[in-house]
Amino acid sequence: GLPLDSIQSFDETKPNQFSVTGRKTILCAGRFVKSKNLAVLVEALSEVVSVSDATAFLCGSGPELVAIEAAVMRSGLLGKLNLLGYRSDLWSLMRAADAFISVSNYEGQPNTVLEAMALGCPVVVSDISSHRELLNEDSAWFVDHSDPVEIARAIQTVLEDPQEALRRAANAKAKVASFSATTMARRYDNIYKRVVSVHLT
């Protein structure tokens, strides 16, 4: 479950030091591991930022960090592709971003996606079951996680159509209400009570 009360009371007036004036901002956050599909994401982001004024920020750390750093250096786009490491102010970045991207090969419960949804940030996600459980075509953009061209095209669509992006983000934000810690705890409590009731009868 998410701490939705904390997220909803988050200080949105706090200035975001990573927002680049006049530029669209793309954000990705999570562990730098193979399942997050970051090499393909960097390829897609390279295409987007090379043909637009957008800037991309990747937050996190992990065993794939060195390889991703090398890929960013090879792209020649350092400054438009930025590795920020682990951030404790991720909500601030999500609040300011124009798009949040998660193109994982597989997920359990993608908490960063849920947090981005709760903060009203438009999301582009891989077309996998974990994302389909949370979102639909009216609240997100789904992409083939193996296709950097398709990923880049979806990101560009979000950046070029902010009205549609905000519409889908609002739908996603409405969906995330059912994932509050309180609601999730109540659901588990109800399940346990039903199981106990069955065994006692």
Side-chain angles (χ1 to χ4, degrees):
L2 289 179
L4 288 184
D5 289 343
S6 297
I7 292 174
Q8 289 167 355
S9 63
F10 175 69
D11 183 6
E12 61 182 306
T13 65
K14 184 179 179 180
N16 185 286
Q17 60 179 312
F18 299 111
S19 295
V20 181
T21 303
R23 291 185 177 181
K24 298 288 187 176
T25 304
I26 308 162
L27 181 66
C28 173
R31 286 270 297 156
F32 278 45
V33 293
K34 286 188 181 296
S35 65
K36 297 298 184 182
N37 200 29
L38 293 171
V40 172
L41 177 59
V42 167
E43 187 177 348
L45 291 173
S46 297
E47 173 63 26
V48 174
V49 302
S50 67
V51 298
S52 70
D53 65 352
T55 304
F57 299 108
L58 284 78
C59 304
S61 187
E64 293 292 298
L65 178 58
V66 172
I68 298 305
E69 285 176 335
V72 170
M73 293 301 294
R74 286 194 303 271
S75 74
L77 294 166
L78 194 62
K80 297 201 79 178
L81 285 177
N82 303 277
L83 300 176
L84 301 181
Y86 172 79
R87 303 301 308 183
S88 61
D89 57 348
L90 191 56
W91 290 352
S92 179
L93 299 179
M94 288 176 171
R95 178 83 74 183
D98 294 285
F100 183 85
I101 319 300
S102 174
V103 292
S104 301
N105 298 324
Y106 57 87
E107 284 281 358
Q109 178 169 295
N111 283 340
T112 55
V113 173
L114 286 165
E115 290 171 352
M117 292 164 62
L119 288 161
C121 183
V123 294
V124 174
V125 294
S126 50
D127 195 354
I128 58 176
S129 60
S130 296
H131 291 149
R132 284 283 180 182
E133 289 173 1
L134 307 175
L135 297 154
N136 57 28
E137 280 81 359
D138 208 39
S139 55
W141 282 261
F142 289 94
V143 294
D144 179 348
H145 58 76
S146 66
D147 189 344
V149 174
E150 184 176 323
I151 296 168
R153 188 182 303 120
I155 296 171
Q156 288 170 322
T157 299
V158 174
L159 300 182
E160 292 168 3
D161 192 350
Q163 186 173 354
E164 175 63 11
L166 290 175
R167 187 188 72 82
R168 295 197 196 191
N171 290 337
K173 187 173 183 177
K175 286 177 175 291
V176 85
S178 62
F179 288 90
S180 72
T182 301
T183 300
M184 296 290 281
R186 188 181 301 117
R187 287 177 178 172
Y188 277 112
D189 186 54
N190 289 337
I191 290 171
Y192 294 146
K193 285 178 179 176
R194 288 201 300 270
V195 170
V196 169
S197 175
V198 169
H199 282 283
L200 290 177
T201 56

